[in-house]
Amino acid sequence: MVVWRKFALTALGIACPEVILEMAAGQWVRARQCVRDFNSEDFEQSQTHMQEHRHVKATGEIRTKEVWTMEMAFFADMGGFRLRTRNCEPFPIDARQLLYLVRKGYVQQPVFKPRMIEDKNKVDVLLRAIILCQTSWFLVTVIGRWAQHLVVTTAELTTVSFIFCSTVTEIFWWHKPADVVMAEIIEIDVEISEILTSAGQDPNAWRMTPLDFASREEWWWSKTWWNFLNILRKMHCSFGSEGRPIDRIADSCQRVLPRREQYLLLAITTGCFAIFSVAWHDDFPTETERMVWRGCCITMVSLLGIGLVISEVLQAYNLFQKGIQQASPRLPTSQSDTLTYGNWPNSKLKGIRKFIRRLDKSFDSIRNNSPDNDPQLYVPLRVILPLYVIGAIYWCCRTFILIEDAIGLRSLPTSAYASVSWEKFWPHLG
C-alpha cells in the first residue's frame, strides 16, 4: 500500500507537478497557522481545565510552555499523533485537533523531543545536498548551452520546468518529515461520544475521524479534488484510507489557500509554463509539431487566466446569491411558479416541474459522488464542469509535451550533440 501510494504521487508529479505544488503550499500555510495558534495559546489555563475533568488527576504541576516550530506542526498534520479513547480504536489527529484537545483540557501539550521527529524524517541531508548539486549543474549546463547558441532540446526544457516547480515545492516542504511510520499514541480516559457531545456535535455525524469538526475545511478546490479522487476510486484506483475512522492522514490533502497564496502560486505556475515557450523558434522534426507545441504553450498559460476568472466570478456570484437569499423572503411555490412559467396550464406546469426534478436528480451523482454522500463535498455543476473541461485540455497539452520530448529526439540539429565549451567563458582555464 505504501509503495502504491508513493508511486501514485510520483505519477501525479510527472503528469501534473502544479498539483503537488498546490498541496505543498496549502500544507505550509496550515502548518504556519498552527505554529501561531500553539505559540499564542495560554496552556496554564488549559491545564487548569484539565484538573477540572474527572478523568485527569490533579498533580499540581504546571508544564512550561514549549515553542512550536514548523517541524512540529508538519509532524502533527501528517498524523504523527494518534488518539486513543476509552471506547474507540486509535485514530490520527492533526495539529488543529490536538490544539482543540489541549484547549478543552483533555490532554496536555505534547513535549517534543528532537529524536521524535528526527527518527521519522528519512530524508537524509546528504541526499538533499546531492540532488541540489545535480540539479544546479544541469541548470548551469542548460544556461551555458543557451549562451553559446547551442540547441536546447524540448526534453531539457521540460526538465528545467520540473526543476523550477519541484524547487518551490521543496521550499514549502523544507521542514516536513518524509513520512510517519510509528505515530505517538495519546491516551485519554474518556469516551469519544463525551467529547463530541460537549462540543455540540452528533456522535455519529463524522466522516473521516470523530474530531473532523475541529479542523475540517473544504473549499472549491478541495471539493473538486475529492470529486476527482472518488471517480478514481470507482475505477479501483484508491489513494486514501477506506476505513472509518481513517488509519492515516492522506498525503494528498488539499488545504485551504488564502487569496495571497493563490496569486503567488498562479505566478509560479505561469513561470513554469512560460519555460516551454523558450522553444518557440526551435527546430522541430516537422512544422506541425512546432505549431502544436506553440499552441500548447499558449493554451496552458491561457487556462490559468480562464481558471482565475472563473474562480473570481463564482466567488462573486456566491456572495451575491447569499445576499439575495438573506435580503429576500422565499416566495411560496405558487407565486414562484407564476413568476417563472407565467399563466401556463397546471397540467403542463406539473409535467415541466417533474421533468426538471428528474433531470436535476440525475446530476446529483455528479455534484456529490462521495460514497457516503457527504454534504460538505457537494460541488455545483457550474463549478465542476468548467474545471473538468480545463483539466482535460491541460492534460492533453501536458501529454503532448511529454510525448514530443521523446519523439523529438528522432531528428535533432548537429549542435544538439555538442558540449558546452567552458573555456570560452573562462579563457584562462584553457
Side-chain angles (χ1 to χ4, degrees), residues 230 239 353-354 382:
N230 288 328
F239 293 89
R353 291 177 60 189
K354 187 176 181 179
R382 64 177 180 271

Side-chain angles (χ1 to χ4, degrees), residues 69-138:
T69 62
M70 291 293 289
E71 290 87 350
M72 298 176 183
F74 270 120
F75 176 76
D77 274 339
M78 294 170 62
F81 294 98
R82 300 176 71 89
L83 180 67
R84 175 185 290 151
T85 61
R86 189 186 301 164
N87 63 333
C88 187
E89 292 297 321
F91 58 87
I93 58 176
D94 58 29
R96 285 190 178 180
Q97 295 169 353
L98 176 61
L99 180 60
Y100 174 82
L101 295 174
V102 173
R103 283 174 173 172
K104 296 301 181 180
Y106 292 106
V107 300
Q108 289 184 327
Q109 180 192 11
V111 176
F112 277 87
K113 299 177 182 179
R115 290 188 58 187
M116 182 182 295
I117 297 179
E118 292 174 359
D119 290 346
K120 295 173 176 59
N121 189 1
K122 300 184 211 178
V123 178
D124 191 2
V125 176
L126 179 61
L127 179 60
R128 286 184 174 181
I130 293 176
I131 295 175
L132 179 62
C133 291
Q134 289 178 334
T135 55
S136 299
W137 175 246
F138 179 83

Side-chain angles (χ1 to χ4, degrees), residues 369-386:
N369 60 355
S370 58
D372 52 354
N373 200 27
D374 185 0
Q376 294 194 44
L377 296 183
Y378 174 87
V379 188
L381 290 179
R382 64 177 180 271
V383 175
I384 195 170
L385 293 182

Side-chain angles (χ1 to χ4, degrees), residues 4 15 24 50 108 119 137 187 257 278 305 321 323 340 364 383:
W4 163 249
M50 286 188 65
Q108 289 184 327
D119 290 346
W137 175 246
E187 190 168 356
L257 270 179
V278 175
Q321 287 290 98
T340 304
D364 284 344
V383 175

Side-chain angles (χ1 to χ4, degrees), residues 5-299:
R5 190 169 71 247
K6 299 296 184 182
F7 172 79
L9 287 176
T10 302
L12 179 62
I14 295 175
C16 188
E18 296 79 20
V19 173
I20 302 294
L21 173 62
E22 193 277 335
M23 291 180 189
Q27 294 170 12
W28 178 83
V29 170
R30 177 73 169 265
R32 182 185 59 178
Q33 185 60 47
C34 289
V35 169
R36 294 174 179 174
D37 293 341
F38 267 95
N39 290 336
S40 61
E41 182 67 21
D42 185 2
F43 288 106
E44 293 186 3
Q45 183 179 359
S46 299
Q47 292 190 52
T48 302
H49 292 327
M50 286 188 65
Q51 297 177 359
E52 295 175 357
H53 283 275
R54 57 182 174 83
H55 59 276
V56 178
K57 297 181 180 179
T59 60
E61 176 186 357
I62 299 297
R63 179 174 295 179
T64 58
K65 181 178 180 179
E66 183 177 11
V67 177
W68 264 56
T69 62
M70 291 293 289
E71 290 87 350
M72 298 176 183
F74 270 120
F75 176 76
D77 274 339
M78 294 170 62
F81 294 98
R82 300 176 71 89
L83 180 67
R84 175 185 290 151
T85 61
R86 189 186 301 164
N87 63 333
C88 187
E89 292 297 321
F91 58 87
I93 58 176
D94 58 29
R96 285 190 178 180
Q97 295 169 353
L98 176 61
L99 180 60
Y100 174 82
L101 295 174
V102 173
R103 283 174 173 172
K104 296 301 181 180
Y106 292 106
V107 300
Q108 289 184 327
Q109 180 192 11
V111 176
F112 277 87
K113 299 177 182 179
R115 290 188 58 187
M116 182 182 295
I117 297 179
E118 292 174 359
D119 290 346
K120 295 173 176 59
N121 189 1
K122 300 184 211 178
V123 178
D124 191 2
V125 176
L126 179 61
L127 179 60
R128 286 184 174 181
I130 293 176
I131 295 175
L132 179 62
C133 291
Q134 289 178 334
T135 55
S136 299
W137 175 246
F138 179 83
L139 292 176
V140 170
T141 303
V142 171
I143 294 174
R145 297 183 63 85
W146 177 77
Q148 294 186 3
H149 305 287
L150 300 177
V151 170
V152 178
T153 64
T154 57
E156 290 172 324
L157 287 179
T158 302
T159 305
V160 172
S161 178
F162 276 120
I163 291 175
F164 179 69
C165 190
S166 300
T167 301
V168 181
T169 302
E170 180 62 24
I171 292 174
F172 283 125
W173 275 345
W174 185 259
H175 298 289
K176 181 181 179 180
D179 206 349
V180 173
V181 179
M182 296 295 294
E184 303 294 325
I185 302 296
I186 299 177
E187 190 168 356
I188 57 176
D189 187 22
V190 62
E191 294 185 359
I192 192 65
S193 58
E194 181 179 339
I195 298 177
L196 295 176
T197 303
S198 63
Q201 301 292 323
D202 185 352
N204 300 317
W206 52 270
R207 181 173 180 265
M208 292 183 289
T209 70
L211 296 181
D212 282 347
F213 69 94
S215 65
R216 186 180 180 188
E217 288 182 299
E218 301 291 354
W219 59 307
W220 65 270
W221 174 243
S222 65
K223 292 179 181 180
T224 306
W225 180 247
W226 278 115
N227 192 281
F228 174 69
L229 291 184
N230 288 328
I231 294 176
L232 295 181
R233 184 178 289 109
K234 292 180 180 180
M235 299 169 60
H236 305 287
C237 298
S238 179
F239 293 89
S241 176
E242 298 293 339
R244 294 295 180 269
I246 59 176
D247 56 4
R248 64 175 182 83
I249 297 179
D251 301 325
S252 57
C253 286
Q254 300 288 347
R255 307 297 187 183
V256 177
L257 270 179
R259 185 170 298 273
R260 182 180 63 181
E261 278 72 16
Q262 291 183 32
Y263 286 128
L264 175 62
L265 285 187
L266 178 66
I268 295 173
T269 306
T270 303
C272 293
F273 292 166
I275 292 175
F276 297 118
S277 63
V278 175
W280 190 271
H281 297 289
D282 285 0
D283 294 327
F284 285 78
T286 64
E287 184 63 23
T288 302
E289 293 176 40
R290 185 211 299 268
M291 298 306 297
V292 176
W293 181 276
R294 291 178 177 178
C296 289
C297 293
I298 297 175
T299 302

Side-chain angles (χ1 to χ4, degrees), residues 273 294-304 306 393-394 397:
F273 292 166
R294 291 178 177 178
C296 289
C297 293
I298 297 175
T299 302
M300 293 173 71
V301 175
S302 300
L303 289 178
L304 293 177
I306 295 174
I393 297 175
Y394 165 83
C397 294

